[in-house]
Every structure is written in C-alpha cells, then in structure tokens.
Amino acid sequence: MKLNSIRFKISILYIVLLGIILVIYSTFLYLSLHYTLYGELDDELRIKAQEIASTIDSYADALDRNQQSFNFAVKRAITLEGEYPDKDKIIDLEHQWLQKIDKFDLKEDYINFLNVKGNLLVKSNNLQGALPSLTLKEMAKLREGEAVFKSIKFEKRNLRIISVPFPYGDNEQYIIQIATSLKPVIHLLKIRLMHIAISIPIVLLLASFLGRLFASRILRPVLEITKTASKITYEDLSARVKAENVDEEMKYLVEAFNDMISRLEQSFKYIADFSSQVAHDLKTPLAIIRGESDVALRKKRSPEEYKRVIKVNLEEAGRMLRVIDDLLLLTKLDYRPEFFKFEQLDMIEFLWEISEQSKILAAPKEIIVNTNLPEGKMVINADRLHLRRLFFNLIDNAIKFTLREGKIDIDAKRENNKVIVSISDTGIGIAEEDMPKIFDKFFHIDRINSHAETGTGLGLSIAQSIAKIHQGIIQAKSTLGKGSVFTVTLPLV
Amino acid sequence: MKKILIVEDDQKIREIYAKFLISEEYSVIEASNAVDAYEILKKENIDLVLLDIKMPEINGSIMYEVLRLFHRDIKVIVSSVYPLYEQKEIISGAFDYHDKSQGIDVLLGKINNALGDG
C-alpha cells in the first residue's frame, strides 16, 4: 500500500478517528463506573453511620439518657465492650446491633468517635492509632451539618472515610467516622481499565482491516474507470464503465466519465468526417484537372483548345490553394486566438469604408448598395484585417446570389451595449431545409449553378469563426426568391 | 451504339466526361442528381451507369440499391473521389470502381471492358 495512496490515507484517518472516539468513550465508561462505585460506597457509609448513631441513641435512651449511659452506649456500640448493670434492658438492642454489625460487615471497618473539636473519644478495636485528623475545611463543613468523605491510604490500606456530625441531646455535637476498605472498588476499576487497554488496540486492528476493505470497495469504481480508460484508443472509443452496483457519489463520476468518452467519440467522428470532406473537396478539382488534361492529350488539338485546358487547370489549382488557405485560417481562428491583433476600432467609420468598396464590387452586376449608419462613434475591440474578411465574405455572398440590378443594404444600430450590423440583399434567398447547414464547412449552396463553383464553401464558416473570436455572433434569415439578411452582433467597448 | 448515363452532381466533371465519351463514340445522357437519373432510366434504354457517390439529398449508394432492384441488367461503374477500397465499402457488388483522380484513360478502359462483351 503506497504511502500517498487514497486507501492509505483513508485507513489512517479512519483509525485515528476511531481511536479518538474509542478513547473518549472508554474514558466516559471508566469515569461513570468510578462515579457509581464511589457513590454506592459512600451511600453505604452513610447508612452505616446512621446505624451507629441510631444505635447509640437507642442504648442511651434505654438507660435513662445520662452522661454515664451515653459513654457506655458509645463504647458498647463501637467496641462491643463495657459493662453496665441492668443488662436486661438492652439485651434486645444488643441482639439487634450484633445482627446489624454482621449485616453491614462493620467488623472490618475502622470506627472513630470524636468530640466536637475533633479529638478522639472512642475507637474501634481493630484500629491501632487514630484515623488522620480532620482539616479545617472538613470541620467547617461538619459544623454546617454535612457529611464529609475522603479517600486515604492508612497503614498500607486504601480506605474511604466518612465523617458525619452526630448531634446528641440539646446542644451536644459529636463526630462519627467510619473508614471502609476501597480494595473491591479499586480492584473493579483496575479490571475495567485493563479491559479497555486490551480491547482498544484489538478493535483498532480490526477496524483498520475493515477500513481497508471499505476503502477498496469505495475505490472499486475508480479502478474500473482506470481499466476502461486504458482500453480506449482513438480507434476504439466504444468502451464504457458500467454504472450498475455503484454507490451514489461514484455514479456521478462514472456517468461524467462515460459522457466525456461519448463527447470525445463525437469529436473524433466530426474530425474524421471533416477530413473526409476536405479530401473530397480537394480531390474534385484534381479530378477535373486530370480529366481535362487527359482528354486534351489524347489527340492533336488546336492552340485555343490547349489554352482553354491550361486555363481550367490554373483555375482549379487556384481553387485548391484557396481551400487550403481557408482551412489554415479556420484552424488558427478556432484554436489559436493569440494569433490576432486586437485594437480599438470605430464601427461607423469602418462600415463606411466597407460600403464604398462594396459599391465597386457590386458595380459589374449593377447592384445598388445602400448604407444606413447612425451618427457618432461605436467603438469595438477588433482585429481590423479579419473583421474586413468577415464583412467581405458576407458582401461577396450577397453580390453572388443577387441578380442584376438588385439591391444590397448595409445597416447598423446600437442596442444595449452591442452593435448590430445587417447585410440584406434582394437575391435568390436560401431554402428552409438548407438554413441550418449554411455555416457548415464546405457547404455549397448551388452545385448546379454553372460558374458559381469558384467559392471554397468555407466563406460563412470563416465568417462565423471570426465573429466568435470577436465575442460576437452571426445570424441569418432568408426567404426563397425574395432575399436574405445576415446580422452580425458585436459587443461594444 | 451503347448508351451511358452519367449521374454526377459536379457540372464541370460531368461535362468533361460527357464530351470525352461522346468523342469515343458512346451515346451519353447526363443527370445531376438521383431523382433526374431515375426518371431517365424509366424512359431510356441505358446500358451503363457512371455513378457518383457523394450527391446532395439522395446519394449514390441509395441510387445503387434502386438500380439493383429495378434495373439489374444495367452495368454500374462507381465513379468517385473516394479511394477505391472505400468505394467498395460504401457500394459493394458494382461491376467496377473508378477513382476520379486516376484520369480519363483508366475510366475509358473500365467502360470499354464493361460494354465490350455486349
């Protein structure tokens, strides 16, 4: 597994995240156990303290509640020692108390009975010394009537101590302390910690394994795409990635990929068609040259006949050269826009110039050129040379397809931030079924018309590409038999 | 005299072939598209069709199918600027194929061959 592969990154991320979550969760589990165990232990201690307090009270009550009986009660309850006459009065209490000691396991606990100042009065027999004395804070809390808990290490044992205020009589205050072993609690917590420590690495290991599996599954479409992509060559664009059984997000990738291939396939088909078209349109003039020359050389011909053949050959050769030049221009227009020099140009002045030259071109057919331009300036960013080419292509077409003594109008107007130029003619018009094709490369509108085949068929295609380079568009409208209007829209500066 | 129908949309080529074949003592009728050609086929007794492939509206391969179905006995020579192997892919089963850029002599040879056995 490579270090910078997606699979590796996903796995690492996944494991780290999972690790963090596990640690947080385990901490929570541990802490909650800690809280519960200590809480229960503390509750237990409260109950025990309560029992001792009530036992002392009961003893004292049974024996007339004087100082002597009080002392006896305390000693008896805590150490089970002490003599007192009239044992009959307390026999039941003794019995009960012994049972309670058993029930609460009080024998194992250390018990201290302190006076209000915190001095030890009575301690249980299992205690050698006194329990650690109370701090000022703890004394303050006790004075307010609250129980105080603390965990200590005493004589090598971990203990939990409760200190509880014990009010006696009208205004006597004592303190009962019970210390119980924390060993079971600590033991449980240790086990829990051990479990956590062992299980987290195991889970992470398992997760990393699963993570790798997941990553593989998710990345499978990517692998499929790679395999399919390598099957695709310019010859065979038919391969596609299957989109079934693929996750939602990957579906987009797969579909986008398949779409791209389809579009490429279309582009290649277009290029193949185009190349075929080019070959055809260059071979036809060659066929004519061949034909004429072959025929001419078969027999002895007159000088005029030879001259005619040579002329035809020159014409066709010229036509082929123009086709090739036009194609090169189209390539530059479509793929290398940096080839053009843009400068600021006033459309009005420019169109007046075009109009003057159009009149000269139209004169032989006695076609009238009307020009209708607004006042002022309309400035655009343009490559002058190529913009001239655009408009002369349109004018040439207008002249070519308009009969003698027809009319051509050149109009311009401003609309929003664009200039709209229309070239209209009263010519033969374009059939409706041809309209979508007129901007196609090599589209000749009249193969049947006798001498109109001097064009390369690329004029409108070139005009459209020039318009596009200038961020503009050309549109055409026509009525068969009445005429056509070509509209050029260009953005103003 | 054998009658040849030239079906070709490019006028210049059509005229060259027509003039040439007439000078070689063939009777020639010209058609610039498939529809006209079909009308002519109905009226005249044609021996050979010189068929172009790339024509507007109805192209040569469709015309060829029509010829095969309704005028089986007429020999067809496909004449186009496409290379020969491509012509054979587009129209298969014609009597012969001619690449226009090969020139008139070659064409004449093929026509003579087709109509020679009479």
Side-chain angles (χ1 to χ4, degrees), chain A residues 218 221-222 225 246-256:
Chain A
I218 287 173
V222 176
I225 289 178
V246 162
D247 304 313
E248 192 66 36
E249 293 81 0
M250 278 299 172
K251 242 197 186 111
Y252 289 133
L253 175 62
V254 165
E255 278 170 6

Side-chain angles (χ1 to χ4, degrees), chain A residues 234-340:
Chain A
Y234 76 92
E235 286 162 328
D236 180 14
L237 281 161
S238 59
R240 296 286 187 279
V241 181
K242 295 204 195 63
E244 320 130 358
N245 301 329
V246 162
D247 304 313
E248 192 66 36
E249 293 81 0
M250 278 299 172
K251 242 197 186 111
Y252 289 133
L253 175 62
V254 165
E255 278 170 6
F257 181 74
N258 286 342
D259 276 349
M260 180 189 75
I261 305 292
S262 295
R263 276 181 278 136
L264 274 176
E265 213 172 18
Q266 265 188 333
S267 297
F268 281 130
K269 184 167 182 303
Y270 176 76
I271 291 176
D273 285 347
F274 180 63
S275 305
S276 174
Q277 183 81 44
V278 170
H280 188 279
D281 273 52
L282 285 176
K283 275 184 98 174
T284 306
L286 281 167
I288 294 174
I289 291 177
R290 199 78 200 264
E292 291 281 9
S293 309
D294 270 349
V295 169
L297 291 173
R298 291 194 120 240
K299 297 212 288 260
K300 189 171 166 69
R301 312 263 179 205
S302 69
E304 278 70 36
E305 186 55 29
Y306 287 133
K307 271 200 197 148
R308 185 195 73 82
V309 170
I310 294 174
K311 245 182 80 180
V312 165
N313 288 355
L314 278 176
E315 267 172 28
E316 295 303 316
R319 190 167 132 210
M320 281 195 287
L321 286 168
R322 282 197 303 281
V323 167
I324 292 174
D325 278 342
D326 281 354
L327 283 173
L328 286 173
L329 175 62
L330 267 175
T331 310
K332 289 211 185 88
L333 284 170
D334 290 340
Y335 301 108
R336 298 188 46 198
E338 70 270 16
F339 180 65
F340 303 99

Side-chain angles (χ1 to χ4, degrees), chain A residues 107-276:
Chain A
K107 278 219 187 77
E108 300 300 319
D109 298 335
Y110 296 148
I111 306 177
N112 270 177
F113 193 84
L114 315 170
N115 68 7
V116 71
K117 289 202 198 124
N119 301 78
L120 182 65
L121 298 175
V122 179
K123 66 172 173 61
S124 53
N125 290 341
N126 48 14
L127 208 52
Q128 253 114 25
L131 293 169
S133 42
L134 294 160
T135 67
L136 232 66
K137 265 205 197 123
E138 287 167 330
M139 295 295 290
K141 238 180 141 195
L142 286 166
R143 231 161 266 150
E144 278 167 37
E146 281 183 37
V148 165
F149 292 91
K150 101 171 136 203
S151 305
I152 59 160
K153 202 161 175 135
F154 182 75
E155 287 175 4
K156 294 194 182 158
R157 295 182 72 199
N158 286 304
L159 304 171
R160 183 76 170 166
I161 307 181
I162 183 175
S163 310
V164 142
F166 177 45
Y168 183 75
D170 292 327
N171 45 14
E172 279 169 61
Q173 275 273 22
Y174 296 94
I175 300 171
I176 298 177
Q177 281 187 314
I178 309 178
T180 191
S181 175
L182 274 173
K183 194 150 144 210
V185 168
I186 289 180
H187 181 65
L188 280 171
L189 285 173
K190 239 195 211 146
I191 291 183
R192 165 75 35 116
L193 199 63
M194 197 172 65
H195 285 168
I196 289 174
I198 293 180
S199 62
I200 287 188
I202 292 179
V203 170
L204 283 180
L205 209 68
L206 203 72
S208 81
F209 191 64
L210 287 174
R212 275 188 65 182
L213 241 69
F214 274 139
S216 289
R217 186 172 174 274
I218 287 173
L219 291 174
R220 189 168 36 85
V222 176
L223 217 68
E224 289 287 320
I225 289 178
T226 312
K227 268 198 281 186
T228 304
S230 45
K231 272 195 268 182
I232 291 171
T233 64
Y234 76 92
E235 286 162 328
D236 180 14
L237 281 161
S238 59
R240 296 286 187 279
V241 181
K242 295 204 195 63
E244 320 130 358
N245 301 329
V246 162
D247 304 313
E248 192 66 36
E249 293 81 0
M250 278 299 172
K251 242 197 186 111
Y252 289 133
L253 175 62
V254 165
E255 278 170 6
F257 181 74
N258 286 342
D259 276 349
M260 180 189 75
I261 305 292
S262 295
R263 276 181 278 136
L264 274 176
E265 213 172 18
Q266 265 188 333
S267 297
F268 281 130
K269 184 167 182 303
Y270 176 76
I271 291 176
D273 285 347
F274 180 63
S275 305
S276 174

Side-chain angles (χ1 to χ4, degrees), chain A residues 276-277 280 283-284 287-288 290-292 294-295 298-299 305 308 315-316 319 447-450 453, chain B residues 9-13 16 19-20 23-24 32 54 56 81-83 99-105 108:
Chain A
S276 174
Q277 183 81 44
H280 188 279
K283 275 184 98 174
T284 306
I288 294 174
R290 199 78 200 264
E292 291 281 9
D294 270 349
V295 169
R298 291 194 120 240
K299 297 212 288 260
E305 186 55 29
R308 185 195 73 82
E315 267 172 28
E316 295 303 316
R319 190 167 132 210
R447 307 203 74 125
I448 313 159
N449 216 318
S450 58
E453 273 274 358
Chain B
D9 63 324
D10 189 309
Q11 193 206 9
K12 287 190 201 150
I13 299 247
I16 295 172
K19 241 175 48 180
F20 172 67
S23 77
E24 292 293 321
S32 66
K54 202 159 190 315
V81 289
Y82 290 128
D99 183 337
K100 279 188 214 163
S101 49
Q102 286 177 302
I104 292 279
D105 282 322
L108 183 64

Side-chain angles (χ1 to χ4, degrees), chain A residues 31 65 93 230 249 267 291 297 328 354 356 395 405 419 436:
Chain A
L31 288 178
R65 267 191 112 81
L93 283 172
S230 45
E249 293 81 0
S267 297
L297 291 173
L328 286 173
I354 303 263
E356 290 304 308
I395 303 271
E405 296 177 17
V419 53

